Amino acid sequence: MKPYNDAMETIQNSVLKLKEEKNAIILAHNYTLPEIQDIADFVGDSLGLSRKASETDADLIVFCGVSFMGETAKVLNPDKKVLLPIPEAGCAMASMCTGEQVRALRKKYPDAAFLAYVNTTADVKAEVDMCCTSSNVIDAVKSLKETDIVFVPDTNLAEYAASLVPEKNIIKFHGYCPAHHGITVWQMEDLKTMHPGADVISHPESPMDVLNMSDFIGSTEKMIGYVRESANNEFIVGTEIGMYHRLKKLRPDAEFYFPPSAICQTMKMTDLRTLYKSLSEETGEIILDRDIMDRARRPIEKMLTIG
Ligand code: 13P
Ligand code: SF4
């Protein structure tokens, strides 16, 4: 392991040096590889990352995550260069919904408010009234004055919000996250049988029956907050395996058990070499249409004001 670790440390140091020289900021999602998280300026959930992107005075933003995250950073910083080291690192759920589909739904539900999960393309964001993340979805739903709310694209998150805000009529779309939708009650119950004392904590992109058996439901950062505050030292974690690194760093005394299929391939595509190449050659620049960016900014900014 030593030569491998030494090689990794050498690339990490090169990335950090280059980052200083270029006045760049590295933002990384909680699901990215451990060696990326360890050198990022900020690691967090979608809301925290969007907030950081909106506040930064760096000249260059390098996003380690998936394309909707880089796009959101670009919309908030239209005159800055935003790099996504692997341009094809998309989000399977975001690709399930298009701007054209939202425009068709607008015609079908002319009086409804349109709320988009941040896991959408800029094209979709440009068509909606407000965006939200898994961290502030409930506050977002409550903040809309309309009773009818079309929520795209995550059917599970829509169902979760509907269960907590029954006074609203949430019209669901058919999108889902493969990594979370594949988490089953049987997997979680098996883990609970093996570790009866563990708390079950879940991400709200998971199916409703998994959420119903959970002790805590929240965004990736809120799950980390729960573990930070908890007196327990065993957790069954209903989300993507990348979270293990942050959780174990935070609570080395605790054990974390994950369902077997919760892996997001595209979150793992950015490694140290691709990050270094992108930063040094400024490859993977996110380019968006000005008009789309201008229309997508308002719903994103609304999202940043709540929760
Ligand atoms: P968070 O905002 O909770 O980090 O979730 C983002 C995501 O893509 C979950 O699959
Ligand atoms: Fe998209 Fe799911 Fe991957 Fe999150 S985990 S980026 S929702 S595919």
Side-chain angles (χ1 to χ4, degrees), residues 31 66 68 90-93 119 177-180 205 240 264 266-267:
Y31 297 160
V66 292
F68 78 81
C91 162
M93 167 156 49
N119 298 39
C177 162
H180 288 89
E205 286 175 17
E240 211 269 350
C264 177
T266 49
M267 282 282 187

Side-chain angles (χ1 to χ4, degrees), residues 162-183:
S163 73
L164 291 185
V165 197
E167 63 275 22
K168 299 283 187 184
N169 173 35
I170 299 190
I171 299 155
K172 297 190 284 180
F173 192 76
H174 52 261
Y176 61 92
C177 162
H180 288 89
H181 200 61
I183 299 174

Side-chain angles (χ1 to χ4, degrees), residues 1 10 12-13 34 57 64 89-90 133 136 143 154 209 214 237 261:
M1 268 320 257
T10 304
Q12 283 178 321
N13 289 335
D57 54 10
C64 300
T133 74
N136 62 9
S143 77
D154 190 2
D209 50 2
S214 301
V237 188
S261 59

Side-chain angles (χ1 to χ4, degrees), residues 60-263:
L60 184 63
I61 301 172
V62 188
F63 222 110
C64 300
V66 292
S67 54
F68 78 81
M69 296 176 173
E71 283 188 5
T72 304
K74 178 67 185 174
V75 170
L76 292 167
N77 296 277
D79 299 318
K80 279 188 186 165
K81 200 179 252 192
V82 178
L83 305 177
L84 188 74
I86 304 279
E88 58 274 28
C91 162
M93 167 156 49
S95 66
M96 291 176 190
C97 181
T98 65
E100 204 177 320
Q101 286 172 309
V102 178
R103 284 191 289 278
L105 286 168
R106 279 267 188 207
K107 285 196 184 122
K108 192 170 171 194
Y109 301 104
D111 299 326
F114 276 65
L115 180 62
Y117 192 24
V118 74
N119 298 39
T120 42
T121 61
D123 209 28
V124 166
K125 291 184 177 82
E127 301 294 336
V128 300
D129 303 305
M130 187 173 187
C131 293
C132 68
T133 74
S134 55
S135 176
N136 62 9
V137 58
I138 303 305
D139 290 330
V141 165
K142 286 181 181 166
S143 77
L144 291 162
K145 65 178 188 318
E146 291 84 350
T147 303
D148 293 340
I149 300 171
V150 176
F151 184 88
V152 295
D154 190 2
T155 190
N156 290 330
L157 192 59
E159 202 174 327
Y160 167 67
S163 73
L164 291 185
V165 197
E167 63 275 22
K168 299 283 187 184
N169 173 35
I170 299 190
I171 299 155
K172 297 190 284 180
F173 192 76
H174 52 261
Y176 61 92
C177 162
H180 288 89
H181 200 61
I183 299 174
T184 65
V185 168
W186 323 119
Q187 291 170 351
M188 299 298 264
E189 277 177 355
D190 278 353
L191 289 169
K192 190 76 186 163
T193 305
M194 286 188 276
H195 311 286
D199 283 1
V200 178
I201 61 174
S202 296
H203 193 280
E205 286 175 17
S206 310
M208 202 61 208
D209 50 2
V210 170
L211 300 185
N212 284 337
M213 62 171 288
S214 301
D215 299 300
F216 178 78
I217 301 162
S219 74
T220 55
E221 202 58 37
K222 285 192 172 169
M223 292 167 93
I224 290 165
Y226 180 87
V227 168
R228 185 183 291 116
E229 301 300 321
S230 174
N232 202 344
N233 60 2
E234 278 193 304
F235 303 89
I236 295 165
V237 188
T239 194
E240 211 269 350
I241 185 71
M243 280 276 281
Y244 180 81
H245 185 62
R246 270 204 73 193
L247 290 169
K248 196 67 188 172
K249 251 174 128 170
L250 177 72
R251 289 283 310 273
D253 61 306
E255 295 301 331
F256 303 95
Y257 313 108
F258 286 75
S261 59
I263 299 171

